[in-house]
Amino acid sequence: MLENAGWIESDRIESYIARDGYKALLHALAEMSPAEVIAAITQSGLRGRGGAGYPTGLKWSTVAKANGPRKFVVCNGDEGDPGAFMDRSVMEDDPHRVLEGMAIAAYAVGASHGYIYVRAEYPRAIKRLKTAISRAERHGLLGSGIAGTSFSFSIDLRVGAGAFVCGEETALIASVQGNRGTPRPRPPYPAMSGLWSCPTLINNVETLGSIAPIIRCGAPWYAAIGTEKSHGTKVFCLTGAIKNTGLIEVPMGITLRDIVFDIGGGIPNGRKFKAVQTGGPSGGCIPEQYLDMPVDYESLREVGSIMGSGGMIVMDDSSCMVDVARFFMEFCMSESCGKCIPCRVGTAEMYKLLTRIATGTATMNDLSKLEELCNMVRETSLCGLGQSAPNPVVSTLRYFREEYLAHVNEGICPAGVCQMSSRQGVTSHA
Ligand SMILES: Cc1cc2nc3c(=O)[nH]c(=O)nc-3n(C[C@H](O)[C@H](O)[C@H](O)COP(=O)(O)O)c2cc1C
């Protein structure tokens, strides 16, 4: 995914072509039927990198089979997770890779137009994608009659105002259509009824960026990387209490220990590893006991977290897990679109309860209420934002319950982070 970053000049299509760029598109158009392209993506085992890990080949075949006057391909470049910049890096450093993946996807599902949805906070990505689109059009690699064939595909850019919920696919569709970006119940799924009620294929930047190498090098090559159910590589954004921060691309199945202590260089300042938070605001905190767990979609879910889009925040023993849960809840509360009550009111109530715990003014009854609300918001929210907002709370309660109890029963923040208002205990930042 990142092999071209730093090696090509993103504004020059020639430098992408010199590194085998657009070979896969030309090969697909000349040698493969749309069904064969979908079969190759299915065999590769590629799963959507936008968070849920949905099988990409299955999604493509659903759109290909759907009936509609037109079909669309949408690249989801909203990337709203706080601190994550994997997709931004691909869009900025290797924009033609995204365009090539979209064009192959369009050929496979029968779409003639596509949109890239990018947040306004990514001006460099927007500029480079615009340049890339015009260069590809000039080279006959986008537009009508691509490479002398009867296949036509054009791409427009849509700039989002930067709301987290606009990354959710139905909210994104509303936003592209010029409406307020709020989700709607599914089904119908966008694959059957998306943009202007037409079948719409929505894929993440990294998913689309994986397409050209799969077509070029073959599905078996890709399927051989990773674990039994999660193939290929994944880009993670490694941040927090770690010596080497930044983007890393690793094969699925690598252990957390290798990521944190080998690639990341370990914990700085002689401090002790405490947990790693994966999946952003929808994810969870994984404690030390799982450091040797191979990282893939299934294993992360089993321990109460998710892969998400690839955020990975390492925490040392100076982090308070109540504070961490409160941070993510504040994010979800302020990013809730307000359309459904469980998310709008539930996240605000959970935030209030977490604040009470963090300030040493909560009772055990508040802790039970928090747990009840976690279940209620998870079960009844309209979209993934609310459904996953309790995850950081649930996972920290599961692995670090004693920290919650110390705040509630003793008025103490063991890590010395929370400002206790009423009782004795630790009162200031260490
Ligand atoms: C609150 C919320 C935010 C999301 N943000 C993004 C995002 O920024 N980028 C993304 O690709 N998917 C995001 N998703 C997932 C999309 O709804 C969708 O599943 C994804 O774009 C599908 O692409 P994939 O199959 O390639 O993963 C988000 C989902 C939710 C619930």
Side-chain angles (χ1 to χ4, degrees):
M1 179 62 49
L2 301 178
E3 71 267 22
N4 287 339
W7 290 99
I8 62 169
E9 289 174 58
S10 56
D11 282 350
R12 292 187 63 241
I13 191 170
E14 294 80 4
S15 74
Y16 179 66
I17 291 171
R19 286 177 69 86
D20 292 336
Y22 289 108
K23 245 190 187 171
L25 175 62
L26 298 179
H27 174 76
L29 293 181
E31 314 278 341
M32 298 170 86
S33 66
E36 283 170 338
V37 173
I38 294 176
I41 298 305
T42 306
Q43 281 161 20
S44 75
L46 175 66
R47 295 170 67 171
R49 300 299 197 238
Y54 191 80
T56 304
L58 187 56
K59 196 188 267 189
W60 286 27
S61 70
T62 309
V63 180
K65 283 182 206 147
N67 291 317
R70 298 183 74 188
K71 290 181 188 176
F72 297 96
V73 170
V74 175
C75 170
N76 189 344
D78 190 57
E79 192 161 59
D81 284 16
F85 56 97
M86 297 79 55
D87 295 348
R88 191 189 93 193
S89 161
V90 177
M91 290 187 285
E92 286 183 357
D93 296 335
D94 205 0
H96 285 285
R97 182 189 195 98
V98 181
L99 306 188
E100 188 177 6
M102 288 180 75
I104 295 170
Y107 172 67
V109 303
S112 56
H113 193 69
Y115 292 94
I116 306 180
Y117 189 84
V118 196
R119 55 179 44 229
E121 288 98 327
Y122 286 178
R124 189 183 294 156
I126 293 167
K127 186 168 165 278
R128 290 186 177 177
L129 283 166
K130 274 187 184 160
T131 306
I133 291 170
S134 80
R135 297 286 188 278
E137 283 170 349
R138 212 182 294 162
H139 277 71
L141 294 162
L142 281 181
S144 55
I146 292 178
T149 67
S150 59
F151 170 62
S152 300
F153 180 61
S154 53
I155 299 178
D156 270 331
L157 219 65
R158 282 288 182 273
V159 177
F164 178 55
V165 77
C166 283
E168 194 279 334
E169 55 189 20
T170 61
L172 185 150
I173 285 169
S175 180
V176 170
Q177 291 184 186
N179 302 319
R180 185 173 170 199
T182 54
R184 61 153 174 83
R186 298 172 309 167
Y189 289 92
M192 306 300 289
S193 177
L195 280 171
W196 297 283
S197 305
C198 297
T200 302
L201 175 70
I202 301 184
N203 274 135
N204 168 258
V205 170
E206 213 182 315
T207 313
L208 291 164
S210 305
I211 301 302
I214 292 173
I215 298 296
R216 223 172 43 234
C217 307
W221 162 78
Y222 191 83
I225 309 166
T227 62
E228 195 192 335
K229 290 187 179 161
S230 302
H231 298 170
T233 60
K234 175 81 193 90
V235 181
F236 288 103
C237 184
L238 195 56
T239 54
I242 188 136
K243 284 184 187 151
N244 309 322
T245 58
L247 294 186
I248 58 164
E249 181 173 3
V250 290
M252 293 279 191
I254 189 172
T255 64
L256 280 173
R257 189 182 296 283
D258 281 344
I259 293 178
V260 174
F261 290 97
D262 184 11
I263 301 171
I267 316 297
N269 308 321
R271 300 212 73 121
K272 203 174 161 295
F273 172 88
K274 184 164 185 179
V276 57
Q277 207 277 350
T278 69
S282 317
C285 293
I286 305 169
E288 194 178 6
Q289 72 212 65
Y290 295 115
L291 268 177
D292 291 310
M293 180 188 82
V295 174
D296 70 6
Y297 287 100
E298 279 68 33
S299 61
L300 289 175
R301 210 167 271 282
E302 267 166 38
V303 298
S305 190
I306 57 164
M307 177 91 66
S309 56
M312 207 174 249
I313 305 167
V314 180
M315 286 169 268
D316 66 20
D317 53 358
S318 68
S319 293
C320 165
M321 303 318 271
V322 173
D323 186 59
V324 168
R326 187 166 161 260
F327 167 82
F328 284 112
M329 190 55 71
E330 185 176 15
F331 178 84
C332 290
M333 175 182 70
S334 52
E335 290 293 333
S336 171
C337 75
K339 184 170 177 176
C340 77
I341 295 169
C343 177
R344 183 179 74 227
V345 181
T347 52
E349 283 304 309
M350 287 193 286
Y351 177 70
K352 263 192 226 162
L353 290 166
L354 285 164
T355 303
R356 247 184 253 166
I357 296 170
T359 52
T361 55
T363 61
M364 283 305 285
N365 193 28
D366 289 326
L367 199 55
S368 322
K369 262 195 225 157
L370 179 64
E371 290 187 283
E372 246 176 65
L373 270 175
C374 283
N375 286 330
M376 192 276 284
V377 172
R378 180 185 264 179
E379 297 297 324
T380 57
S381 290
L382 170 61
C383 86
L385 195 160
Q387 287 159 9
S388 60
N391 285 355
V393 182
V394 172
S395 72
T396 47
L397 271 167
R398 177 168 165 190
Y399 297 119
F400 301 96
R401 196 176 190 88
E402 70 288 350
E403 280 193 37
Y404 280 83
L405 296 178
H407 284 75
V408 174
N409 292 333
E410 298 161 52
I412 286 173
C413 172
V417 172
C418 298
Q419 306 272 333
M420 294 296 172
S421 62
S422 58
R423 294 181 255 181
Q424 78 288 9
V426 180
T427 56
S428 63
H429 285 260

